[in-house]
């Protein structure tokens, strides 16, 4: 039995982590998948590769080095978490995944590498596990930045001009694969989006 991979994508402050926590609470009461559900995230936490990514962000390393650190973390995440769970028939729900690299690193590299968006996408194609379903939390960058201010210290990624480019890249991904993406209004009440997500996941698992 092969499991399913569901991902949450969107710019910072769009509510992905909040929704993951809500679904975890639902899963404790009413399991989403008979074989079990694994909740995870990228960059990973408390791992060698994940810590390298966070250190790179804090120390503002060059964009290309940063990209390959993200890729290393993605590779480790797949081999240690995603692939074993999917092969054992489980549902995997990941807060960020490969699409975030195309959107974010495609934006950071856009003035350094020709067609950076497709460069990043092609780096993933030979080996990543493609999601079965992706929820894109759509929110204006201005609203995102206001939300991020409320969380405390902001990262270099949390700027309106940069997030406009990231949003455009996410939109491009969704247009290229409309059958995989479900676009959510991230300004809607959490319970509204939770209902949509649960319905779509249950359809996927039938």
């Amino acid at each position: 039995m092969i499991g399913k991979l569901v991902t949450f994508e969107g710019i910072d402050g769009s509510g992905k982590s909040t929704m993951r926590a809500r679904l975890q609470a639902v899963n404790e009461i009413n399991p989403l998948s008979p074989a079990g559900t694994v909740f995870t995230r990228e960059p990973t936490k408390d791992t060698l590769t994940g810590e390298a990514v966070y250190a790179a962000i804090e120390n503002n390393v060059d964009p290309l080095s940063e990209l390959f650190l993200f890729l290393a973390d993605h590779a480790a995440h797949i081999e240690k978490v995603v692939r074993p769970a999917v092969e054992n028939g489980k549902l995997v729900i990941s807060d960020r995944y490969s699409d975030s690299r195309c959107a974010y690193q495609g934006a950071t590299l856009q003035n350094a590498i020709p067609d950076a968006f497709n460069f990043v996408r092609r780096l993933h194609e030979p080996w990543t596990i493609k999601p079965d379903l992706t929820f894109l939390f759509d929110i204006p960058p201005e609203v995102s930045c206001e939300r991020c201010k409320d969380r405390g210290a902001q990262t270099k990624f949390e700027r309106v001009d940069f997030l406009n480019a990231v949003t455009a890249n996410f939109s491009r991904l969704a247009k290229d694969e409309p059958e995989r993406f479900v676009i959510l209004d991230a300004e809607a009440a959490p319970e509204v989006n939770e209902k949509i997500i649960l319905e779509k996941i249950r359809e996927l698992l039938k």
Side-chain angles (χ1 to χ4, degrees):
M1 179 181 176
I2 301 299
K4 299 294 182 181
L5 171 59
V6 174
T7 57
F8 290 171
E9 296 286 8
I11 61 176
D12 297 284
S14 59
K16 301 177 304 302
S17 298
T18 298
M19 188 58 63
R20 182 186 66 174
R22 290 179 70 96
L23 292 191
Q24 284 181 286
V26 169
N27 187 67
E28 289 176 4
I29 299 170
N30 183 18
L32 301 177
S33 169
T37 303
V38 174
F39 292 89
T40 185
R41 60 164 294 164
E42 289 190 8
T44 58
K45 284 282 191 180
D46 302 319
T47 64
L48 178 64
T49 53
E51 292 304 318
V53 169
Y54 290 111
I57 294 171
E58 290 174 4
N59 289 281
N60 201 28
V61 302
D62 69 276
L64 192 58
S65 297
E66 185 177 76
L67 165 64
F68 285 104
L69 288 171
F70 270 104
L71 286 170
D73 188 52
H74 181 58
H77 184 221
I78 287 174
E79 292 309 310
K80 294 178 180 178
V81 179
V82 179
R83 191 184 306 280
V86 170
E87 289 181 350
N88 281 291
K90 295 182 179 181
L91 169 67
V92 178
I93 298 178
S94 183
D95 176 359
R96 293 204 184 284
Y97 194 68
S98 57
D99 292 316
S100 277
R101 227 106 48 234
C102 295
Y104 275 83
Q105 275 59 58
T108 60
L109 289 165
Q110 63 183 352
N111 295 322
I113 294 176
D115 195 10
F117 174 88
N118 279 315
F119 170 75
V120 177
R121 183 153 63 173
R122 286 193 298 270
L123 287 174
H124 288 83
E125 286 175 353
W127 55 276
T128 195
I129 295 177
K130 187 175 179 179
D132 297 286
L133 180 63
T134 297
F135 294 98
L136 177 57
F137 291 70
D138 186 41
I139 190 171
E142 294 81 4
V143 177
S144 163
C145 287
E146 283 301 314
R147 288 185 179 183
C148 291
K149 285 180 183 177
D150 294 338
R151 300 188 311 199
Q154 290 178 272
T155 73
K156 63 181 181 179
F157 299 124
E158 294 164 1
R159 306 187 319 269
V160 172
D161 58 341
F162 177 72
L163 291 177
N164 277 323
V166 176
T167 297
N169 284 342
F170 273 127
S171 295
R172 187 173 174 182
L173 287 162
K175 288 178 182 177
D176 286 348
E177 297 184 70
E179 70 286 351
R180 173 163 70 90
F181 279 83
V182 175
I183 300 176
L184 301 170
D185 178 3
E187 294 187 271
E191 55 268 24
V192 172
N193 284 330
E194 180 184 305
K195 181 179 179 181
I196 294 170
I197 290 168
L198 288 172
E199 287 176 353
K200 293 293 184 181
I201 288 176
R202 284 166 181 152
E203 287 176 13
L204 178 68
L205 297 177
K206 283 182 181 177

